[in-house]
């Protein structure tokens, strides 16, 4: 069996999804996702210029050897762009394998460990009362877990993932006004004074059963993060996410020494080598990698297995920028993983997105139920894809009140 051709598409409804389609001489094709938010053209180029010319003629069933060829075979290997490109190839090869076996992917991993995988959505508000309304709205829809973010009184501009005005969503995932980023102003002191009390009020209002998550988005210093994690202990968070920038992993030890608040890290990691120590030393509770830019199913499954040895559970990244193809790969891992924790899930549900990526993965009452179709269980409509093309976008940049550049 041979790979005969492969194509890359960039675009989608309100997103620049990077979709790979690998064709074979037996007519079976596989789909993969290389979407790297706001850098989408780069994994696409890596696929077109370097990977696809090498893949043609290879046996698509040898997904392990092909992964090693892409990773070890590249002298300058790894990094988010290359890993997103390898990830798309790896997903597409697993898709082909599942279709050849006539089995959904979770069966190839070891079968189902659960009927539905709990997900969380993003509740957000320009201020605390606005956030309370957003939480109530999601609870009505059956969500059991919510990430909660709100505007901070006195903050010179809206902060991470928070709308400027009451009742509005916010396009913080991509700002398609162009390649030059907007600037957000950040003050850690204001945040530290407001947010623990806000989280406590949320707990009081919604009771003990709601799983409350909160994302600091890499903005605190290690000592501040330790203080924050300790202050929010009585709230009983499901997790506190990215309290500090991820490069300095010793910071997690300081936070751990001062608090039992569960910690979730890893949405920007693209390799097991970036999280193996954090996992082995049990400095985190949830690993947040995404199957797309962690290099695909093959390496992500290794991370999940390592995590399982150390009581670390999964909480795969699933920001709105993720394509239904990457989310489908995660749905299969979530159905199987003995150490599944939760899944961030915001992608499906718009008619345009469903038309581009038809699938029967189902979301009901805050749980994802994985498709039983062979392979990934998601398709790609090339006719629909013609409606879309790449639009340049950017994340905001963050500055402190004195102008110093900070972590977005
Ligand atoms: C999350 C993330 C995202 C990121 C986004 C950047 O927890 O979902 O922090 O919201 O900001 O993925 O592209
Ligand atoms: Mg996050």
């Amino acid at each position: 069996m041979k790979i005969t051709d492969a194509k890359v598409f960039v675009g989608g409804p309100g997103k620049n999804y990077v979709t790979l389609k690998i064709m074979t001489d037996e007519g079976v094709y596989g789909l993969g996702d290389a979407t790297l938010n706001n850098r989408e053209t780069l994994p696409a180029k890596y696929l077109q210029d370097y990977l696809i010319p090498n893949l043609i003629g290879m046996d698509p069933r040898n997904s392990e050897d092909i992964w090693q060829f892409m990773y070890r075979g590249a002298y300058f290997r790894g990094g988010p762009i290359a890993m997103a490109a390898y990830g798309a190839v790896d997903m597409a090869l697993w898709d082909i394998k599942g279709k050849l076996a006539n089995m959904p992917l979770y069966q190839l991993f070891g079968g189902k460990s659960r009927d539905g995988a709990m997900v969380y959505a993003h509740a957000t508000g320009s201020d605390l009362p606005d956030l309370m309304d957003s939480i109530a709205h999601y609870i009505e829809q059956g969500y059991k877990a919510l990430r909660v973010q709100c505007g901070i009184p006195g903050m010179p501009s809206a902060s991470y993932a928070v709308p400027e005005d009451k009742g509005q969503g916010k396009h913080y995932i991509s700002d398609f006004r162009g390649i030059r980023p907007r600037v957000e102003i950040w003050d850690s002191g204001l945040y530290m004074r407001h947010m623990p009390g806000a989280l406590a009020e949320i707990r009081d209002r919604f009771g003990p059963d709601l799983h409350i998550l909160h994302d600091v988005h890499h903005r605190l210093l290690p000592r501040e993060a330790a203080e924050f994690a300790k202050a929010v202990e009585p709230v009983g968070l499901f997790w506190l996410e990215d309290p500090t920038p991820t490069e300095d992993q010793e910071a997690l030890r300081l936070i751990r020494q001062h608090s039992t608040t569960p910690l979730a890290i890893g949405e920007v990691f693209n390799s097991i080598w970036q999280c193996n120590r954090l996992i082995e030393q049990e400095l985190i509770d949830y690993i947040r990698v995404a199957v797309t830019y962690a290099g695909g199913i093959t390496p992500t499954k290794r991370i999940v297995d390592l995590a399982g040895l150390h009581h670390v559970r999964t909480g795969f990244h699933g920001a709105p920028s993720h394509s239904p193809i990457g989310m489908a790969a995660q749905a299969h891992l979530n159905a199987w993983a003995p150490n599944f924790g939760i899944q961030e899930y915001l992608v499906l549900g718009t008619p345009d997105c469903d038309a581009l990526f038809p699938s029967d993965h189902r979301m009901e009452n805050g749980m994802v139920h994985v498709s039983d179709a062979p392979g990934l269980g998601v398709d790609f409509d090339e006719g629909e894809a013609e409606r879309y093309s790449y639009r340049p976008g950017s994340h905001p940049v963050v500055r402190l009140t004195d102008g110093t550049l900070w972590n977005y």
Side-chain angles (χ1 to χ4, degrees):
M1 186 176 186
K2 283 189 170 42
I3 296 172
T4 51
D5 199 5
K7 297 192 249 184
V8 183
F9 304 80
V10 183
K15 322 270 161 61
N16 292 312
Y17 297 131
V18 183
T19 304
L20 172 71
K21 183 169 182 176
I22 294 184
M23 276 69 77
T24 68
D25 58 356
E26 294 191 11
V28 181
Y29 62 86
L31 297 170
D33 169 33
T35 309
L36 182 65
N37 197 26
N38 294 324
R39 292 292 181 270
E40 298 90 346
T41 54
L42 302 178
K45 187 93 175 122
Y46 198 109
L47 282 161
Q48 279 154 346
D49 290 0
Y50 303 106
L51 296 182
I52 292 173
N54 276 301
L55 287 171
I56 292 171
M58 287 184 175
D59 185 334
R61 295 169 298 186
N62 295 334
S63 49
E64 180 66 63
D65 185 65
I66 292 177
W67 198 87
Q68 300 296 333
F69 174 85
M70 294 188 291
Y71 183 80
R72 282 181 202 267
Y75 183 63
F76 298 106
R77 59 200 183 191
I81 294 162
M83 290 300 251
Y86 310 163
V89 172
D90 185 72
M91 268 178 244
L93 299 183
W94 277 96
D95 193 24
I96 290 170
K97 205 184 298 289
K99 287 171 178 167
L100 292 174
N102 200 25
M103 284 183 187
L105 282 193
Y106 68 78
Q107 290 293 8
L108 303 187
F109 303 155
K112 262 190 200 176
S113 301
R114 58 195 54 77
D115 293 327
M118 183 167 72
V119 305
Y120 71 90
H122 294 179
T124 178
S126 58
D127 57 17
L128 183 56
D130 194 29
L131 172 57
M132 295 283 197
D133 292 348
S134 173
I135 296 171
H137 160 82
Y138 280 110
I139 291 175
E140 262 167 42
Q141 295 180 29
Y143 283 89
K144 299 162 187 22
L146 292 170
R147 188 190 83 170
V148 302
Q149 311 291 139
C150 69
I152 309 295
M155 196 72 90
S157 71
S159 44
Y160 169 70
V162 164
E164 301 276 348
D165 299 309
K166 259 190 183 328
Q168 285 187 350
K170 190 181 183 193
H171 301 294
Y172 61 93
I173 292 298
S174 266
D175 180 346
F176 288 116
R177 280 174 287 188
I179 214 76
R180 284 175 189 261
R182 277 179 303 113
V183 178
E184 286 179 0
I185 308 295
W186 174 256
D187 182 327
S188 295
L190 290 174
Y191 170 78
M192 299 260 300
R193 289 198 285 283
H194 182 72
M195 207 58 221
L199 291 169
E201 283 187 49
I202 292 167
R203 173 61 77 211
D204 284 350
R205 158 119 181 239
F206 293 100
D209 292 339
L210 178 66
H211 297 302
I212 302 174
L213 296 74
H214 180 67
D215 192 347
V216 184
H217 222 256
H218 324 271
R219 299 217 175 155
L220 295 179
L221 298 172
R223 193 214 58 78
E224 293 168 339
E227 182 185 325
F228 190 91
K230 189 157 76 173
V232 299
E233 258 175 27
V235 178
L237 289 183
F238 185 93
W239 79 34
L240 184 68
E241 178 177 339
D242 287 330
T244 51
T246 40
E247 292 91 342
D248 175 12
Q249 301 197 343
E250 278 302 300
L252 275 301
R253 196 182 305 283
L254 183 79
I255 302 169
R256 266 285 199 251
Q257 281 162 353
H258 290 274
S259 155
T260 54
T261 293
L263 301 173
I265 293 275
E267 67 184 40
V268 298
F269 292 160
N270 50 69
S271 155
I272 195 166
W273 300 107
Q274 291 172 315
C275 53
N276 60 330
R277 295 217 185 97
L278 286 178
I279 291 171
E280 285 158 3
Q281 297 178 17
E282 302 181 6
L283 295 177
I284 56 173
D285 300 280
Y286 295 91
I287 180 69
R288 293 271 293 134
V289 288
V291 75
T292 301
Y293 30 79
I297 291 167
T298 299
T300 303
K301 201 166 167 302
R302 291 195 182 102
I303 294 175
V304 174
D305 280 330
L306 177 67
L309 298 179
H310 295 280
H311 322 286
V312 175
R313 289 186 286 160
T314 62
F316 295 138
H317 191 219
S321 50
H322 281 276
S323 140
I325 295 175
M327 293 303 287
Q330 295 187 165
H332 287 280
L333 288 168
N334 291 336
W336 152 77
N339 51 329
F340 168 75
I342 197 167
Q343 170 68 58
E344 184 180 28
Y345 190 91
L346 299 113
V347 70
L348 297 185
T350 70
D352 282 344
C353 191
D354 292 349
L356 185 58
F357 298 103
S359 90
D360 60 1
H361 291 279
R362 285 180 299 116
M363 210 335 247
E364 259 171 38
N365 280 328
M367 312 282 276
V368 165
H369 299 273
V370 69
S371 163
D372 285 321
L376 284 168
V378 56
D379 211 345
F380 178 66
D381 186 323
E382 289 181 49
E384 276 289 310
E386 283 172 19
R387 295 173 54 199
Y388 305 106
S389 56
Y390 170 72
R391 286 192 298 158
S394 59
H395 292 110
V397 293
V398 174
R399 290 187 184 277
L400 302 182
T401 49
D402 71 354
T404 306
L405 200 87
W406 206 241
N407 311 301
Y408 170 56

